[in-house]
Amino acid sequence: MEAQAMKHRSEVTEALTWDLTALFENKREFEETVQELQAKADTFTQQYDGNIKDAASMIEAIKDYEQIRKLATWIGQYATLPTNTDITDGEAMERARYIRNVLAGVSAKLSFFDSQLTANEEAVLDEVAQQAPEYAAFIRRVKKQKAVQLEPEVEKALAQLSPVFGAPQQIFEQARSNDMDFGTFTANGKEYPLSFVLYEEVYMYHPDTEVRRAAFDQFSQVLEKYQNVVASAYYTQVQKEKTMATMRGFDSVFDYLLMDQEVDRELYDRQIDTLMNDFAPVMRKFITHVKELNGLDKMTYADLKIDLDPEYSPTITIEESKDLVKETLQPLGQEYVDMILRAYPERWIDFPQNKGKRSGAFCSTTYEKHPYILVSWTDQLSDAYTLLHELGHAGQGLLSNANRSLLASRPSLYLIEAPSTFHELLLTDYLKKHTEDPRMERSVLSKMISKTYFHNFVTHLLEAAYQREVYKLVDAGKGFDAAKLSEIKRSVLEQFWGDAVEINPGAELTWMRQIHYYMGLYPYTYSAGLTIATQAFLKMKEEGPSMVDNWHEFLALGGELIPVEAAKVAGVDITTDKPLSDTIHYLDKSVDKIIELSAQIS
């Protein structure tokens, strides 16, 4: 596992990049559509401002509004996706800023629409939902919005300010992907290149302890230099959210941020508290076993992501991943498999590592277009887990978009990570089935823990627990600086890991590494989604095809149902703590099996 010097974006193989022509054939078509969008917004305003007086006129307006939203989505995708693959591309950054301003102007122009919808009596809104059931979910949200809607002039001003409101996230991304120069580090007498992406995709998992720890130290030293500017950006973000919460009549920023997810505070707190208390001992047991097998003097924070058996770490090429994806997803049916495999010939996926590419991975779905997936491929089996995770988002997006109106196509954040982690569980199951070698079985189980669950049940959980403490400060009218954020992060890490892990210097700066903090209460939803996915997966193992049909129905729901009702379609009751407790028990048994296999192998 050796890191190579990063290529410039112009030097990577085009066939391994995503193809934006599915959105627009060329820049001229894109620019013409921008003009079309602005014209449609003007026409919509002239036709409907002050003229939405009954259910019939409201339905017609919603249909036209949906078409405008569709164009805006395509335009936004085309303008912003390139900035994720190369933040050093000045032309792409300028186009993205321009389009953010265009879309803000369109939103401001159309802000009257929300105001007039919420001004209608609930009886009229109910009539719309009855006459046009494809918009029932949209109307459900409109009715909830009624209680927090501000005066039309204020809503218009807020819409115009949306590029400003998005600035904290942009500042953070520029800092970590463009401004931070991580230079090189030396280990074992050899010099290694370092970048944000190289650390998070390569060195964090490196089997050589000296390389791994030296990379962490250098990485942390550079992060520390930028801690004050990143803390300032984050402070601006949470103060913006608190101000919006207050303006809309919420006593707590938590209630404001959970409103869009359509879940209550009890579900949010239970997810964090149960995992911090009940799952922590399971992970301490696992990570102690990893330390013992690797012969480490101690388990430090820099060592947490190493493989349990680093000498038995299968590699996989991009070409080989096609067959793995095909075989892994067979339990979901050939039609589903064929839909997902379109990702390769249609170039949904951006594989290469290059300078300026953001770290991590994501899937961006677009109505009536194919999804776009960003990964950074390093030929490790862990890359296959990441790819299948993002293809899970793609599958849900495609099925939801095909079965729902645009205005009802997006699921709650509480549900959004279930399909992605379901794919990861299928991958582990496939790999386990196709080996009789106890070392391979142990490797697969350990990857399930270290990749699927560590990432979603631990990494994002600890983000959520930290984030909760930050929002508590803001709710209490208090501020924070970089030192305070590091203090909170260290406290959360120490609480979860106890004596099993040494929280070495630099670990407290982990709050600087994740863009999720700029997306509201997003981090905790990973564990919520994985809880649903685990329960549905275990049910599928027991019940077979009938459960697969239920899962397809769940994927196609989009935002049609609130999370509690949607999860029931997948056979999971999230009103109780049983799914979460069962999941923790399943993981505890898996760790015990890993330890048993280690004894057998020895």
Side-chain angles (χ1 to χ4, degrees):
M1 183 190 286
E2 295 299 336
Q4 304 297 319
M6 284 286 190
K7 293 181 178 181
H8 291 285
R9 182 67 178 177
S10 60
E11 298 172 319
V12 304
T13 303
E14 185 181 41
L16 300 180
T17 65
W18 51 29
D19 180 13
L20 298 183
T21 61
L23 291 167
F24 296 104
E25 193 64 37
N26 49 49
K27 290 181 182 177
R28 189 176 79 173
E29 184 185 359
F30 164 72
E31 290 164 359
E32 289 172 351
T33 308
V34 173
Q35 294 177 357
E36 181 186 355
L37 171 70
Q38 292 171 313
K40 282 183 177 292
D42 288 337
T43 301
F44 184 87
T45 304
Q46 294 165 9
Q47 183 174 353
Y48 293 111
D49 193 359
N51 297 320
I52 304 174
K53 302 184 182 299
D54 54 25
S57 58
M58 192 180 297
I59 291 171
E60 288 305 308
I62 292 173
K63 289 179 180 177
D64 290 344
Y65 176 73
E66 186 173 33
Q67 293 305 307
I68 293 173
R69 282 277 301 273
K70 182 169 66 176
L71 290 183
T73 301
W74 296 352
I75 289 167
Q77 291 283 72
Y78 189 83
T80 58
L81 284 172
T83 66
N84 291 283
T85 56
D86 187 4
I87 203 169
T88 68
D89 184 339
E91 181 183 347
M93 291 301 298
E94 181 57 35
R95 182 164 57 248
R97 292 189 187 101
Y98 165 65
I99 290 303
R100 276 195 289 270
N101 289 330
V102 168
L103 296 179
V106 169
S107 293
K109 193 168 291 182
L110 302 185
S111 63
F112 79 89
F113 184 55
D114 285 339
S115 297
Q116 290 190 22
L117 288 182
T118 55
N120 275 271
E121 297 292 331
E122 290 209 4
V124 176
L125 296 173
D126 290 339
E127 188 178 349
V128 171
Q130 186 175 15
Q131 292 183 18
E134 67 271 26
Y135 298 127
F138 174 67
I139 293 299
R140 184 184 75 236
R141 292 191 175 96
V142 169
K143 290 167 70 173
K144 291 184 177 182
Q145 188 68 22
K146 280 175 68 71
V148 299
Q149 190 77 3
L150 303 174
E151 291 298 318
E153 295 80 6
V154 178
E155 294 289 356
K156 183 175 183 178
L158 292 174
Q160 288 173 318
L161 285 168
S162 60
V164 179
F165 291 155
Q169 180 174 332
Q170 297 301 317
I171 293 169
F172 168 74
E173 193 61 83
Q174 284 286 345
R176 75 165 177 170
S177 298
N178 207 9
D179 290 347
M180 292 183 190
D181 183 352
F182 292 90
T184 62
F185 67 94
T186 302
N188 301 318
K190 180 180 176 181
E191 189 173 36
Y192 294 81
L194 183 63
S195 69
F196 200 103
V197 173
L198 281 176
Y199 179 74
E200 297 225 324
E201 303 292 343
V202 177
Y203 295 121
M204 189 163 62
Y205 307 94
H206 204 287
D208 188 308
T209 300
E210 185 171 340
V211 171
R212 188 173 61 251
R213 292 178 180 175
F216 178 82
D217 290 342
Q218 172 69 8
F219 183 69
S220 300
Q221 287 169 21
V222 175
L223 286 180
E224 187 176 16
K225 294 176 182 177
Y226 292 85
Q227 61 179 323
N228 293 315
V229 68
V230 174
S232 295
Y234 185 43
Y235 181 77
T236 304
Q237 171 72 19
V238 297
Q239 283 297 329
K240 172 198 74 177
E241 291 166 333
K242 177 60 178 174
T243 300
M244 293 301 299
T246 302
M247 288 177 65
R248 295 195 183 279
F250 291 92
D251 295 330
S252 168
V253 69
F254 292 102
D255 296 329
Y256 164 68
L257 293 173
L258 287 170
M259 184 186 76
D260 282 344
Q261 296 185 21
E262 298 188 282
V263 298
D264 58 31
R265 182 75 179 271
E266 181 185 356
L267 284 175
Y268 167 75
D269 284 326
R270 183 178 70 202
Q271 200 72 26
I272 297 173
D273 292 337
T274 302
L275 289 172
M276 286 294 290
N277 295 324
D278 298 348
F279 188 51
V282 177
M283 286 307 299
R284 291 173 195 165
K285 178 168 58 175
F286 172 73
I287 212 66
T288 299
H289 188 57
V290 172
K291 182 192 80 170
E292 292 168 351
L293 285 189
N294 279 271
L296 298 181
D297 56 332
K298 56 186 176 181
M299 175 60 71
T300 76
Y301 190 76
D303 303 317
L304 279 175
K305 293 298 182 75
I306 61 172
D307 202 299
L308 181 139
D309 189 357
E311 294 180 1
Y312 193 84
S313 185
T315 58
I316 181 170
T317 65
I318 293 171
E319 187 63 28
E320 290 168 342
S321 73
K322 297 177 185 178
D323 284 336
L324 185 60
V325 169
K326 177 182 177 181
E327 297 303 322
T328 293
L329 299 183
Q330 283 299 324
L332 294 180
Q334 192 60 47
E335 186 176 349
Y336 184 88
V337 172
D338 291 343
M339 177 182 73
I340 294 297
L341 287 177
R342 286 168 41 205
Y344 291 92
E346 294 179 12
R347 287 173 54 199
W348 302 358
I349 309 161
D350 199 90
F351 288 103
Q353 296 185 68
N354 59 260
K355 291 182 179 179
K357 187 171 184 177
R358 60 162 284 182
S359 66
F362 67 74
C363 174
S364 182
T365 57
T366 308
Y367 202 73
E368 294 182 356
K369 305 287 185 179
H370 69 60
Y372 284 91
I373 292 171
L374 180 138
V375 296
S376 292
W377 198 265
T378 62
D379 286 345
Q380 299 299 305
L381 184 58
S382 59
D383 296 332
Y385 273 90
T386 300
L387 177 59
L388 274 153
H389 178 103
E390 301 306 335
L391 288 170
H393 288 306
Q396 182 182 39
L398 288 166
L399 290 175
S400 171
N401 290 344
N403 289 277
R404 306 296 163 194
S405 73
L406 170 63
L407 301 177
S409 62
R410 185 157 182 81
S412 164
L413 278 180
Y414 192 91
L415 304 171
I416 208 81
E417 294 299 337
S420 51
T421 48
F422 192 88
H423 269 203
E424 292 192 51
L425 293 172
L426 287 175
L427 175 56
T428 295
D429 192 54
Y430 171 78
L431 294 172
K432 279 173 58 182
K433 280 180 179 177
H434 289 79
T435 184
E436 295 181 358
D437 180 357
R439 194 174 183 189
M440 180 61 178
E441 183 181 358
R442 183 182 68 175
S443 177
V444 169
L445 283 172
S446 69
K447 278 189 169 51
M448 179 185 76
I449 299 293
S450 63
K451 179 63 181 173
T452 304
Y453 287 96
F454 201 127
H455 190 62
N456 300 301
F457 253 38
V458 180
T459 301
H460 295 313
L461 161 71
L462 297 178
E463 290 170 4
Y466 151 84
Q467 187 183 43
R468 184 170 63 171
E469 296 308 307
V470 173
Y471 281 123
K472 284 180 180 178
L473 281 178
V474 174
D475 260 351
K478 299 177 181 178
F480 56 79
D481 58 9
K484 184 63 177 178
L485 294 177
S486 292
E487 176 190 327
I488 294 171
K489 189 64 180 181
R490 174 171 287 277
S491 175
V492 168
L493 293 175
E494 290 174 344
Q495 179 189 343
F496 186 85
W497 290 114
D499 295 333
V501 177
E502 178 185 301
I503 309 301
N504 49 315
E508 71 281 356
L509 296 173
T510 306
W511 61 266
M512 296 179 64
R513 293 164 54 180
Q514 185 53 263
I515 203 166
H516 289 160
Y517 302 133
Y518 300 83
M519 302 177 182
L521 299 180
Y522 186 21
Y524 93 101
T525 64
Y526 277 86
S527 63
L530 189 46
T531 301
I532 295 170
T534 304
Q535 293 302 292
F537 170 75
L538 294 175
K539 278 180 172 289
M540 186 189 75
K541 298 283 287 180
E542 294 172 6
E543 300 173 15
S546 63
M547 184 55 205
V548 173
D549 291 341
N550 291 343
W551 188 250
H552 284 162
E553 184 181 350
F554 169 76
L555 295 179
L557 280 174
E560 192 70 18
L561 300 176
I562 64 172
V564 167
E565 298 303 321
K568 287 179 181 176
V569 173
V572 184
D573 183 2
I574 60 172
T575 63
T576 73
D577 63 0
K578 188 177 187 303
L580 187 52
S581 298
D582 286 351
T583 301
I584 293 171
H585 179 63
Y586 169 70
L587 295 172
D588 195 21
K589 289 200 315 183
S590 298
V591 172
D592 288 342
K593 180 64 176 178
I594 289 170
I595 295 171
E596 177 189 324
L597 287 167
S598 292
Q600 182 181 339
I601 294 166
S602 296

